[in-house]
Amino acid sequence: MATDAGTPGTAIPRFPDGFLWGVSTSAHQIEGAADEREASVWDAFTAEPGRVKDGSTAAVACDHYHRYREDVALLAGLGVDAYRFSVSWPRVNSPGGLDFYDRLVDELCAAGVRPVPTLFHWDLPARLDWLERDTAARFAEYVSVVAGRLGDRVTRWITLNEPAEHTLLGHALGVHAPGRQLLFDALPVAHHQLLAHGLAVRALRAAGAGDIGIANSHGPIWPASPEQADVEAADFYDVLLNRLFAEPLLLGEYPSGLGELMPGGAAGVESDLEIIAEPVDWYGINYYAPTRVGAPQGTEIRFGGLTLPAELPFSVREIEGRPVTDFGWPVVPEGLTELLTGFRDRYGERLPPVFITENGCSYEGLEDQDRIAYLDGHIRALHRALAAGVDVRGYFVWSLLDNFEWAEGYARRFGLVHVDYRTLVRTPKASYAWFRDVLRAQR
Ligand code: BGC
């Protein structure tokens, strides 16, 4: 069916002038050089046997810390406008750490690639804890230090990456660092990260920075059936994944009475919500796939590499009839259009311009036609959202390089560029050449 966004095999339609094209990475997943910084919660977690599936650590990863010039050359060859990377708080706390980001930013600017740093992508210093409110204040101090050093060249900032996943996987289910299984007692971790975000927005503005956003993970939630129990379970999951992290920022309130469960209760968080709702200049969305959710089934559920406990008030079901990535995630490009139009309808003028800060897939191989098909479908789906009037300003592929995929270790490859973890040789995949050509055609 031909649509305004074209069909696979035909040229991708034009995006508006000034649309920002980029790729993303994160510090812990690519930098290595773990002995040249203080420890993070991820170092402690990966040291525990059985935590990471292939038993690996990120001690070396892609060794980007020492090979960043080569990686910036890959970015320049790709022709992206912008590069989203993360600044490691443990590295900034260590001698010479900020110098590294200084060199990286200079190298990017010299190559004509805009640096877009994320200030927290899950690698919390090991001596800190998001269960403690004070961590939010410590974060704002660290953000001021980074802004003071890089703010003369960085014009676009991201406070946090996916506080939802960090809360859920790291503190509720225990499959990511720091490995806690608190279930709903993990909610203060969400609140403290959101507070940290708001304080960071203020700290960045105080340092003269503009163009500030966040990278939140979102996806459509599909009820397993029209039955009331399934619809209610899906709504609840939507609150946890989407609304809990969007609404404090965009509306200044917690959804569905969740404020009651936050530290200090609804009255206690009221003044924090004013900080959390400090207006952002844009809103970043990481999209991978929708989730199909039904009523609890009273059994453990295995889903996308996770085991969800039986006592949760919902169950995650398979989305059938779709191709899946090597991770087992369904490929649903139109979920991106649905998500974006749904956000626009839900939040109206409260939703600032949107950037897709991550989108990508794990597949093996250098001739990665399946990755090309995934990205092609999602970029067209994004164009449909634009055509439907959603104000989207940019798109970042996850990821530039194959990298340390958290609890999956090196088993999942998300890169446009293959990394041989023995030799650290980088080899652009077919998808790298394809994305380069897509970008050239947009100029
Ligand atoms: C995270 C990345 C991760 C990617 C693929 C996102 O949730 O921000 O760090 O590698 O998804 O799992």
Side-chain angles (χ1 to χ4, degrees), residues 12 30 33 136 219 250 282 341 348 399 406 434:
I12 287 177
I30 65 166
L250 300 178
W282 54 275
T341 53
S399 177
W406 308 114
W434 174 85

Side-chain angles (χ1 to χ4, degrees), residues 69-105:
R69 286 202 175 86
E70 190 181 341
D71 295 336
V72 173
L74 284 164
L75 291 163
L78 194 54
V80 284
D81 303 309
Y83 173 50
R84 174 181 173 227
F85 59 98
S86 81
V87 176
S88 155
W89 188 353
R91 194 173 299 288
V92 169
N93 284 347
S94 310
L98 255 179
D99 297 340
F100 167 68
Y101 297 106
D102 210 44
R103 291 194 297 275
L104 174 62
V105 165

Side-chain angles (χ1 to χ4, degrees), residues 160-180:
L160 308 180
N161 179 71
E162 299 191 354
E165 255 64 24
H166 192 54
T167 305
L168 181 76
L169 303 179
H171 298 79
L173 300 176
V175 293
H176 276 189
R180 291 201 176 102

Side-chain angles (χ1 to χ4, degrees), residues 25-26 29 84 121-122 161-162 165 169 176 215 217 286 288 327 329 358 360-362 398-399 403-406 408 412 414:
T25 62
S26 93
Q29 293 177 273
R84 174 181 173 227
H121 197 127
W122 304 350
N161 179 71
E162 299 191 354
E165 255 64 24
L169 303 179
H176 276 189
S217 72
N286 296 353
Y288 287 90
F327 220 140
W329 299 352
E358 280 182 32
C361 50
S362 63
W398 182 270
S399 177
N403 58 51
F404 178 74
E405 178 51 35
W406 308 114
E408 300 285 318
R412 307 284 171 218
F414 278 86

